[in-house]
Amino acid sequence: QVQLVESGGALVQAGGSLRLSCANSGRTFRTGTMGWFRQAPGKEREFVAAIRWGGGSTSYGDSVKDRFTISGDNAKNTVYLQMNGLKPEDTAVYYCAASSRIILVHAPLLYDYWGQGTQVTVSS
């Protein structure tokens, strides 16, 4: 079974950086997609970034392009989200998600597995 656990969320000042980690402690993927979503209070879950597991291609939501970078370590079965130039509007619970398929349109319902989330708060 795929089990995803996020870590790295914290309180940070605007302009600062954080690195989130998502570890899959269960069944590993040969191929598929791992991604990051975020959800702020009162808002819909928003796509942040994704990486093709075993392939390496990446994609990003428009709001985080040029600031966030997703990467993966296949040996550790872990995906990372490096967040630079954080803004107060980045404040949200960040969720790791995974799919055994290659996802082209990153809607939350297309992902099969989810972590419990990690809180990122950016102060002004």
Side-chain angles (χ1 to χ4, degrees):
Q1 181 181 7
V2 173
Q3 294 181 330
L4 305 177
V5 180
E6 305 96 333
S7 63
L11 172 64
V12 64
Q13 292 185 337
S17 299
L18 285 173
R19 190 183 75 161
L20 306 183
S21 298
C22 174
N24 176 16
S25 62
R27 179 177 58 86
T28 188
F29 289 155
R30 291 182 180 270
T31 60
T33 307
M34 295 189 71
W36 289 95
F37 291 77
R38 66 187 184 185
Q39 188 165 22
K43 296 184 178 180
E44 295 183 343
R45 191 162 296 189
E46 176 189 18
F47 170 69
V48 176
I51 185 168
R52 189 172 69 186
W53 203 245
S57 63
T58 60
S59 61
Y60 296 91
D62 290 340
S63 63
V64 304
K65 288 181 178 178
D66 303 319
R67 297 190 298 122
F68 292 7
T69 302
I70 189 170
S71 62
D73 186 332
N74 288 35
K76 296 182 178 180
N77 210 17
T78 300
V79 66
Y80 305 94
L81 183 69
Q82 179 66 47
M83 305 186 294
N84 298 324
L86 285 164
K87 305 174 181 179
E89 50 263 45
D90 295 319
T91 296
V93 176
Y94 283 70
Y95 297 92
C96 179
S99 174
S100 60
R101 301 177 178 179
I102 297 174
I103 304 299
L104 301 179
V105 178
H106 297 279
L109 289 175
L110 299 180
Y111 282 78
D112 303 307
Y113 308 98
W114 293 86
Q116 295 301 306
T118 185
Q119 178 70 49
V120 172
T121 302
V122 184
S123 62
S124 60

